[in-house]
Structure formats: structure tokens, C-alpha cells
Amino acid sequence: DTMEDHLKQHEEKCTVLTDRILEVENQLREKDASIDQKQKELDRSLESCSKMEEDRTEAIAKCLSMEQELSDLKEKKEREEGEFDAIVKAQQKDLEEVSKRSETLKEEQDKQILDLKKSLTLKEEESKQVVTELISQINREESDKLEIMQYLQEEKEKSEQLEEELKVVKDELATSQVQLELHIMALNDMKSSQDAEGMQKIAQ
């Protein structure tokens, strides 16, 4: 009876270990699915960062174009002022009339330049705001990417830990199975010995 009880205890232990193995394997499958999902999210985040970088490059190109436009306007103003000076020198007899004309022309030019400067300043502010928002969004995406990578690393470490536990449980199960087989052999030997003694008593 003691041998049978011992055998039953080993069988129960093997059952518990087998259930534990199934539980750990299920946990590993769940962790793999979670890691795959997070990897997809990381891929989408990287694509979004690439698109925002392209938008930022385009905004910078627009700013440079506006600066070139202002430079061209300044050159045009200087060229027109030079032409105006030449006209003043050539028209000394009509100096007063030319002077009035030049003042009017200069006021119109100054007004045009002022309007263009205001327009350019507004566009520059809008571009800077767009660039600032893009940079802020890129930083948020980078932060999200780091969090996802950290999460993946933690899940990987947990999976490795579960694999180690599974290995230990499998080793314990193998040891228990060997012990169980030894107990069965011992029990069979005991029964064979008892049967032999019974036959000997019958023979006597």
C-alpha cells in the first residue's frame, strides 16, 4: 500500500507539472502575439516619422524660397533707385517735377516693399509654426517609438524567463517520470517476490 501511495503521489505530481507546462506554453503564445502587435505599431510609427521629415524638408525649402524672393525685391528696389538717380541727373531743368515724381515713386516702392515684407513675415511665421509643430510631432513619435521598444524588450525578457521556467519544469517532469518508472519496477519486483512466496507456501 505504501508503494502504491507513493506511485499515486508521483502520478499527481506529473499531472501538476504537465498542467504547468501547458500554462507556460499558453503564456508564451500570448506574449508572442503581443510582441507581433507592438512590432506592427512600431513600423507604423516609423513610417509616420519618415512622412513628417519629408514635410519638414518641404517647409524649409519654402522658407528659403521666400528669402530669395525678398532678396530679389531688394535688388529690384536698388536697381530702380539707381535708374531714378540717373533720371534726376539727366533732368536737372525739371528738378522740381522730377523730385515730386521721385518721391511719389519712392513712396509707392516703399509701400510695395513694406507690404511684401509684411506678407513674407507672415509666411515665415506660418512656416516656422508648421516646422515647430512637425518637430513636436516627430519628438512625440520618437518618444512613442522608445516606449514601444522598451515594452518589446521587457516582453522579450519575460518570454526568456518563462522559457527558463518551462525548461526547469520539463527537467522536473523528466526526473519524476524516471522516479515513477523506478517505483513501478520496484513494485513489480515486490509483487513478483510475494507471488513467488505464495507459490512456495502452497507447494509446502
Side-chain angles (χ1 to χ4, degrees):
D1 291 340
T2 303
M3 216 45 184
E4 289 177 352
D5 291 340
H6 201 42
L7 178 60
K8 184 177 180 181
Q9 291 176 359
H10 275 283
E11 288 176 344
E12 291 175 352
K13 184 176 181 182
C14 288
T15 300
V16 171
L17 291 173
T18 301
D19 291 340
R20 175 59 179 159
I21 289 172
L22 292 175
E23 180 184 351
V24 171
E25 288 177 343
N26 287 333
Q27 291 179 358
L28 285 174
R29 281 194 293 270
E30 292 175 357
K31 293 296 181 183
D32 288 340
S34 176
I35 288 172
D36 289 341
Q37 179 64 28
K38 290 296 180 181
Q39 187 65 45
K40 291 178 181 178
E41 294 178 5
L42 177 59
D43 291 341
R44 287 195 296 270
S45 177
L46 291 174
E47 290 177 359
S48 179
C49 285
S50 177
K51 178 62 171 60
M52 280 186 256
E53 185 63 27
E54 292 176 0
D55 294 340
R56 177 176 174 270
T57 301
E58 183 179 354
I60 291 173
K62 287 181 179 179
C63 288
L64 293 175
S65 176
M66 291 176 189
E67 289 177 354
Q68 183 62 42
E69 184 177 334
L70 177 61
S71 177
D72 293 341
L73 288 171
K74 288 180 179 178
E75 289 178 2
K76 181 181 178 182
K77 180 178 181 292
E78 291 173 358
R79 186 169 59 252
E80 289 177 350
E81 287 178 344
E83 293 172 358
F84 168 72
D85 290 338
I87 292 172
V88 171
K89 291 178 181 179
Q91 301 291 333
Q92 288 292 331
K93 294 179 180 180
D94 300 323
L95 180 60
E96 185 176 354
E97 182 182 348
V98 172
S99 178
K100 292 179 180 179
R101 181 183 172 190
S102 70
E103 289 176 358
T104 302
L105 179 61
K106 189 174 185 301
E107 288 175 358
E108 291 176 354
Q109 289 175 343
D110 289 342
K111 185 177 182 302
Q112 290 177 356
I113 294 294
L114 182 61
D115 292 341
L116 288 171
K117 282 184 177 180
K118 289 180 179 179
S119 177
L120 181 58
T121 300
L122 181 61
K123 290 180 179 178
E124 284 179 342
E125 289 175 355
E126 291 175 353
S127 298
K128 287 179 181 179
Q129 184 178 359
V130 170
V131 171
T132 300
E133 290 175 356
L134 286 173
I135 291 173
S136 177
Q137 194 167 356
I138 289 172
N139 290 337
R140 289 197 298 272
E141 291 292 338
E142 287 290 336
S143 178
D144 293 341
K145 181 176 71 175
L146 290 175
E147 289 179 3
I148 291 172
M149 292 177 69
Q150 183 179 358
Y151 175 82
L152 291 176
Q153 180 63 30
E154 291 174 357
E155 291 301 317
K156 180 180 177 183
E157 292 174 358
K158 290 179 182 178
S159 295
E160 290 174 353
Q161 183 178 357
L162 286 172
E163 287 176 354
E164 289 295 327
E165 292 179 8
L166 179 61
K167 181 179 178 182
V168 171
V169 171
K170 285 184 176 179
D171 291 341
E172 290 178 1
L173 178 60
T175 302
S176 298
Q177 287 176 339
V178 171
Q179 293 177 353
L180 179 61
E181 290 174 359
L182 292 175
H183 283 298
I184 290 172
M185 291 173 61
L187 184 60
N188 289 335
D189 291 341
M190 184 180 295
K191 287 184 177 180
S192 297
S193 176
Q194 290 175 352
D195 292 342
E197 289 176 1
M199 292 295 293
Q200 185 176 1
K201 289 180 180 179
I202 293 172
Q204 291 176 354

